[in-house]
Amino acid sequence: MQRILPPHRSVPLFGVSATRAIEARLHASLPEHTLMRRAGLAVARLGLALAPHAQRVWVACGPGNNGGDGLEAAMHWQAAGKAVSVTLLGDASRMPDDAKDALVRAQAAGVEIGNFPAPPLGPHDLAVDALLGIGASRAPDETMAELIAQLNALPCTVLGVDVPSGLDAGTGQPLGDTCVRARHTLTLLTAKPGLFTAMGRDHAGEVWLDELGATASSDAPDAWLTGPAVAATPSRAHAQHKGSFGDVAVVGGAAGMTGAAWLAARAAHACGAGRVYVSLLDGRGLSHDALRPELMVRTEWWKSHDAALNHATVVCGCGGGDAVREPLPRLIGAAERLVLDADALNVVATDGKLQMLLRARADRGRATVLTPHPLEAARLLGTGAAQVQSDRLAAAQELTERFGCVVLLKGSGSVIAAPGETPCINPTGSAALATAGTGDVLAGWLGGLWAQHADATGMQGALRAACAAAFIHGAAADAATGAVLRANDLIEAMMAATQQP
């Protein structure tokens, strides 16, 4: 058994279909009921560790195999001397065979089983959500929703079995209006994508994984939860110089929004880019950054000769407004490495010719990273933000396929996708980043990181830079002591995060 977050390594994530296939193979290789008995024991052990002083344990069980896992665990808690009660929904005669076996064993152990509401529980007691598993595909019915509401109102630790009831294991979205908010979730056999993106983190709490004795699967995962190795700081040889670490050009900052461009430029410089140029779209903008005078202003930089555009990593769109429409065709056509953020994405979403240029750019082997938040992604896809959020992995992959770009879909559990690659979910970050300018910092840091790898011109280099930038961006928020991390302070926090072992 392992705690998933904070991450120590990359973890493969398997959706419902893949998990079912792994489960079927394991079932076929073991004596009957073995897998459920292992699952119940794992739940019981974690429950005892999380609530060692609990006097009462209440288990809310559904009529399927998830309920069977809860019944198995209840038997072990009964043996440990706890006062255990199980609320069992549904017709016991129609339970799956493994769950029926667990019910018989729990009854034989003397566990109190019935159809009753939550008993009175204190802060040190334990409640267990074993109502719905990964097979749930619709909102909980009225009876189950009432039990979920009771679980959510309890003062004690709530432990979810496999996934919080009412949460889609693949997408991380609640299936209806009622969904368990667990303090801890023990996911069984495989880690599921929905626990780490969209609403998953809020509902699953702290996630644990028990593989139930399964050997490493040869199945290709549906996604990867990225580990810290992706964000390793590039090494620097003693004889290297500023020219060794690449140039970044930030094109953005229309009237009233120049701060966004300066934030992106500061972030690119802070992460290690050798030189950073700022090309403001506000012709009356500042001629220098008093805080960071090492940043160099270049008026209409995008009109430079091709060699300059090929050499630099370009970050375009931060605070660009509609003025970013002018430089976009030139940058999409000539820049070797291109990060499109914010207003650049909004302009592309409304301009079919720019979309064709972006696709043609990909066909020529030039890499681009798009960094949309859900609403920007929706504009690019011609849909709504709610539809993007309903399946974030699918939305990121659709954007990748449509434009031939690396896509960093921001939000809780940011999704990073690239053509032909298994998508990644970023495990770091919090709502401390929910303030203006933090996205500009991410785009700038990504550009600065990408610029430092002279050989990383292709899609793989762009993907690695996007994963690393998202990881460090979130890690800085995780280390923050306040509820809000202001964008300019975030840059310094990201520098500190790169120094952590």
Side-chain angles (χ1 to χ4, degrees):
M1 186 183 301
Q2 60 174 307
R3 183 173 61 181
I4 300 296
L5 299 177
H8 302 292
R9 61 179 178 87
S10 292
V11 176
L13 304 175
F14 296 89
V16 175
S17 296
T19 298
R20 291 290 194 216
I22 295 168
E23 182 181 35
R25 285 200 303 272
L26 194 55
H27 261 304
S29 68
L30 295 170
E32 63 176 355
H33 311 315
T34 298
L35 203 56
M36 182 166 287
R37 292 180 183 182
R38 287 180 181 177
L41 180 59
V43 172
R45 285 175 171 170
L46 181 58
L48 289 172
L50 296 175
H53 304 298
Q55 295 182 348
R56 294 191 62 105
V57 179
W58 176 51
V59 190
C61 290
N65 283 330
N66 196 250
D69 295 338
L71 287 163
E72 278 284 342
M75 180 191 65
H76 292 290
W77 287 315
Q78 183 82 7
K82 307 296 183 181
V84 183
S85 58
V86 173
T87 298
L88 179 60
L89 297 185
D91 184 353
S93 67
R94 301 179 64 181
M95 296 176 77
D97 288 343
D98 282 348
K100 284 180 181 176
D101 174 72
L103 175 60
V104 169
R105 284 159 54 81
Q107 289 170 330
V111 176
E112 179 188 14
I113 302 172
N115 187 0
F116 37 71
L121 297 173
H124 299 294
D125 292 327
L126 177 67
V128 180
D129 163 32
L131 290 168
L132 294 172
I134 63 173
S137 58
R138 61 180 184 272
D141 62 26
E142 185 177 350
T143 303
M144 193 169 289
E146 175 57 33
L147 280 183
I148 290 174
Q150 292 176 31
L151 282 162
N152 288 342
L154 291 172
C156 62
T157 293
V158 175
L159 171 61
V161 176
D162 211 12
V163 295
S165 292
L167 187 78
D168 188 301
T171 68
Q173 280 294 344
L175 295 165
D177 295 332
T178 308
C179 185
V180 167
R181 284 184 176 267
R183 191 176 301 176
H184 297 267
T185 295
L186 175 59
T187 188
L188 300 166
L189 194 61
T190 65
K192 286 78 179 178
L195 299 174
F196 303 100
T197 194
M199 297 296 291
R201 293 280 296 273
D202 287 320
H203 285 277
E206 191 165 359
V207 180
W208 304 75
L209 168 65
D210 196 304
E211 296 175 316
L212 305 181
T215 54
S217 172
S218 59
D219 296 66
D222 293 303
W224 285 94
L225 190 72
T226 51
V230 73
T233 303
S235 60
R236 294 192 168 210
H238 193 276
Q240 286 181 297
H241 51 83
K242 65 183 179 183
S244 305
F245 301 107
D247 294 348
V248 172
V250 176
V251 180
M257 297 183 289
T258 56
W262 289 118
L263 284 168
R266 291 173 187 174
H269 185 258
C271 98
R275 289 173 293 223
V276 180
Y277 304 108
V278 183
S279 189
L280 296 175
L281 298 173
D282 178 4
R284 298 169 298 173
L286 295 174
S287 62
H288 70 285
D289 181 356
L291 181 65
R292 290 294 172 194
E294 55 267 43
L295 303 176
M296 296 171 279
V297 172
R298 294 290 186 272
T299 302
E300 296 187 332
W301 177 89
W302 65 88
K303 294 181 179 179
S304 302
H305 51 78
D306 284 358
L309 271 67
N310 287 334
H311 179 71
T313 299
V314 181
V315 178
C316 178
C318 301
D322 195 61
V324 79
R325 192 179 299 273
E326 181 185 352
L328 268 176
R330 169 75 171 143
L331 295 175
I332 292 174
E336 185 66 30
R337 309 180 197 195
L338 182 61
V339 179
L340 296 181
D341 184 51
D343 290 317
L345 300 174
N346 293 330
V347 169
V348 168
T350 63
D351 192 321
K353 290 183 179 179
L354 289 177
Q355 293 176 27
M356 291 175 61
L357 285 174
L358 201 56
R359 183 71 242 187
R361 171 184 171 81
D363 293 340
R364 296 198 307 274
R366 286 181 165 167
T368 309
V369 182
L370 311 181
T371 60
H373 57 53
L375 182 56
E376 291 161 348
R379 290 169 181 151
L380 288 165
L381 292 171
T383 184
Q387 289 173 276
V388 169
Q389 290 294 80
S390 70
D391 194 337
R392 289 168 52 77
L393 279 167
Q397 289 175 295
E398 185 179 350
L399 281 169
T400 286
E401 292 164 7
R402 181 173 298 190
F403 296 110
C405 301
V406 173
V407 173
L408 198 172
L409 176 57
K410 296 180 284 195
S412 179
S414 292
V415 178
I416 305 99
E421 300 291 335
T422 301
C424 297
I425 294 177
N426 181 58
T428 63
S430 72
L433 295 171
T435 185
T438 57
D440 303 309
V441 170
L442 174 61
W445 192 279
L446 197 168
L449 191 61
W450 195 7
Q452 293 175 65
H453 296 273
D455 57 342
T457 55
M459 204 67 70
Q460 281 294 325
L463 177 62
R464 286 196 301 271
C467 287
F471 191 98
I472 292 296
H473 190 247
D478 291 338
T481 56
V484 175
L485 188 54
R486 292 176 297 183
N488 207 48
D489 298 332
L490 171 61
I491 297 171
E492 301 303 315
M494 290 177 72
M495 291 183 68
T498 63
Q499 309 303 315
Q500 299 301 313

